[in-house]
Amino acid sequence: MRTAPTILHLDMDAFYASAEQAAKPSLRGKAVVVGGLGPRGVVATASYEARKFGVHSAMPMGQARRLAPNAAYLVPRFGLYREISDQVMALLRQLSPLVEPLSLDEAFVDLDAGGVADDQASALAVGERLRADIKAVTGLAGSVGLAASKMLAKIASEEAKPDGLRLIVPGTERELLGPMPVRTLPGVGPATGDHLRRGGITTVGEIAEAGEDELVRLLGKSHGSALYAMALARDERPVVAERESKSVSVEDTYDVDIHDRVRVRGEVARLADRCVERLRAAGHSGRTIVLKVRRFDFSTLTRSETLRGPTDDPGVVREAAARLLESVDTTGGVRLLGVGVTGLADYTQEDLFAQAQAQAQAEAEAVQAQETQREAEEERAGEAAAEPVGETVAEPVVPVERRWAAGLDVRHAEYGHGWVQGSGLGRVTVRFETPESTAPGRVRTFRTDDPALEPAEPLPLVASPEELERR
């Protein structure tokens, strides 16, 4: 066991919701819930104000709305969150070469590898400086835990929330862990917690008292032994700087089951393109294409196909995903679709590109032939039912209504930058404000097809002087 608090754990507080509050002055200090807004949506993050009503992550959005009907419900803006995460991770890498990101808002840092903390006082100074730097660069708060192991550092950061710093002094771990509930330990979820409770074990101290043999009897060799070691504050896991990606995938859950086979094919093609975008962004290619289908009855089917070599070509991935779909019965309806690529590599198989190009050309020619045939049939039908010569009846053109999701950025030609508060019945309501606004912005309502209103990119939460001058 280490004798100095050399592991730092950072956890950004209510990350998505806090970012939205920082970006939208009118929401600061108010209940904010970020997640999927449809009937099947779930909560991604809830602000601390919303948590007071019982709203928490992974909760169905419908339940959240019942608990906090007056909260602001917003769709996630992952592009903004990734930018903020990159800024935070850059600050962590200034402390040490060993930084292990767990998600966009959470990471471990080995301070010993960076040589920045020799004792408790210097470790605390590093933690305070990090929190101040994060606040200055992003405008957001993060909680920091310091301890001799990863498990204890994470527990310390949880104890420090919100916007705090906690150090667990080496040698006091057992005393600290003893009265904590068993769910405090990593790997103890609801099922394991209930199993332990039925065995008369409810605290970490009681796990230690029960002994390894009893834990193995209750939970099995691997889980029981690991849990007993953690109860004794033993955690020798190192901070791993890079985690090798094993797969890249995307998936969508639909508010209403999809029954139209043509639309299912279109969704699979769209997901394949998105998957390839992520694949290329990561600098990888892959050999195995995976299709995931969750049907109306919640049954989930997975199909895969391994290619002759790795590829990052969208045509190849679309083609493979389409073939896999043909083996799946979707007549009862589809509630979730996903496309993934595994068997990742850092190179591509060139001959697959020619295959994709030929396939794309054939598909284009087939579509063109079908379009030509359809137009000919419509022309013949039109001639048979033609109006008298000299009279032309023009069918009205129905414009496609633009959809504006709550929380997304927009820009108006006259009013400038704002965000969507809500939309419906052909109208969209926008609040015009920026992260630098000192008071809630004014609200305006427009037609959804107003040409002066356009989608916009998120503004940085902390703007440089040059950026402010340009605005």
Side-chain angles (χ1 to χ4, degrees), residues 218-236:
L218 288 173
L219 304 175
K221 175 64 177 175
S222 177
H223 198 184
S225 296
L227 201 59
Y228 178 69
M230 287 189 289
L232 298 180
R234 297 173 184 166
D235 179 19
E236 300 301 324

Side-chain angles (χ1 to χ4, degrees), residues 20 30 33 50 102 192 219 263 302 310 369 414 425 439:
E20 297 300 339
K30 297 182 179 180
V33 181
L102 303 180
T192 301
L219 304 175
R263 186 185 169 195
T302 303
E414 179 181 354
L425 302 176

Side-chain angles (χ1 to χ4, degrees), residues 326-378:
E326 293 307 310
S327 66
V328 179
D329 179 13
T330 62
T331 53
V334 171
R335 61 186 293 116
L336 177 147
L337 290 168
V339 174
V341 178
T342 65
L344 301 187
D346 295 327
Y347 66 97
T348 57
Q349 188 84 13
E350 294 297 333
D351 63 344
L352 293 175
F353 295 149
Q355 173 188 344
Q357 187 174 8
Q359 177 69 18
Q361 181 66 25
E363 290 176 352
E365 291 173 355
V367 170
Q368 182 62 43
Q370 292 175 354
E371 185 67 18
T372 301
Q373 181 180 358
R374 184 185 63 81
E375 290 176 353
E377 290 174 351
E378 290 178 349

Side-chain angles (χ1 to χ4, degrees), residues 116-202:
V116 294
D118 300 326
D119 51 26
Q120 295 177 24
S122 59
L124 284 170
V126 167
E128 290 289 7
R129 186 170 65 251
L130 174 63
R131 293 176 58 240
D133 289 345
I134 290 174
K135 188 74 171 180
V137 171
T138 70
L140 302 181
S143 293
V144 171
L146 295 160
S149 68
K150 291 169 71 172
M151 178 190 75
L152 294 166
K154 183 172 175 62
I155 291 174
S157 68
E158 288 294 324
E159 292 283 304
K161 284 181 172 292
D163 191 16
L165 171 67
R166 175 74 188 275
L167 181 147
I168 297 178
V169 178
T172 67
E173 296 93 346
R174 292 282 301 277
E175 180 182 356
L176 173 74
L177 289 175
M180 290 184 172
V182 294
R183 292 286 301 275
T184 301
L185 299 179
V188 181
T192 301
D194 288 343
H195 200 56
L196 291 171
R197 181 179 52 79
R198 289 194 294 271
I201 299 173
T202 60

Side-chain angles (χ1 to χ4, degrees), residues 233-266:
R234 297 173 184 166
D235 179 19
E236 300 301 324
R237 294 173 301 160
V239 175
V240 181
E242 296 293 339
R243 290 186 167 186
E244 187 68 28
S245 297
K246 296 182 179 180
S247 65
V248 174
S249 63
V250 296
E251 62 182 42
D252 275 345
T253 301
Y254 303 99
D255 295 340
V256 179
D257 290 346
I258 303 176
H259 294 83
D260 184 357
R261 184 73 174 185
V262 174
R263 186 185 169 195
V264 172
R265 292 193 188 99

Side-chain angles (χ1 to χ4, degrees), residues 307-464:
L307 306 173
R308 295 191 302 275
T311 183
D312 65 352
D313 184 87
V316 173
V317 177
R318 281 197 303 269
E319 177 189 351
R323 285 196 299 270
L324 294 170
L325 179 63
E326 293 307 310
S327 66
V328 179
D329 179 13
T330 62
T331 53
V334 171
R335 61 186 293 116
L336 177 147
L337 290 168
V339 174
V341 178
T342 65
L344 301 187
D346 295 327
Y347 66 97
T348 57
Q349 188 84 13
E350 294 297 333
D351 63 344
L352 293 175
F353 295 149
Q355 173 188 344
Q357 187 174 8
Q359 177 69 18
Q361 181 66 25
E363 290 176 352
E365 291 173 355
V367 170
Q368 182 62 43
Q370 292 175 354
E371 185 67 18
T372 301
Q373 181 180 358
R374 184 185 63 81
E375 290 176 353
E377 290 174 351
E378 290 178 349
E379 183 176 351
R380 287 195 296 271
E383 290 173 352
E387 294 290 332
V389 177
E391 295 185 15
T392 301
V393 179
E395 295 199 8
V397 177
V398 180
V400 178
E401 181 176 330
R402 290 187 291 180
R403 299 184 65 183
W404 304 94
L408 294 184
D409 296 87
V410 295
R411 175 167 291 279
H412 191 273
E414 179 181 354
Y415 299 110
H417 191 93
W419 59 278
V420 176
Q421 280 197 321
S423 64
L425 302 176
R427 295 287 186 268
V428 54
T429 300
V430 177
R431 184 179 289 274
F432 292 97
E433 59 186 2
T434 69
E436 291 76 34
S437 300
T438 57
R442 54 190 173 182
V443 176
R444 296 286 188 274
T445 299
F446 309 93
R447 298 193 318 273
T448 54
D449 60 352
D450 191 323
L453 189 66
E454 296 180 343
E457 292 296 321
L459 298 177
L461 301 186
V462 178
S464 64

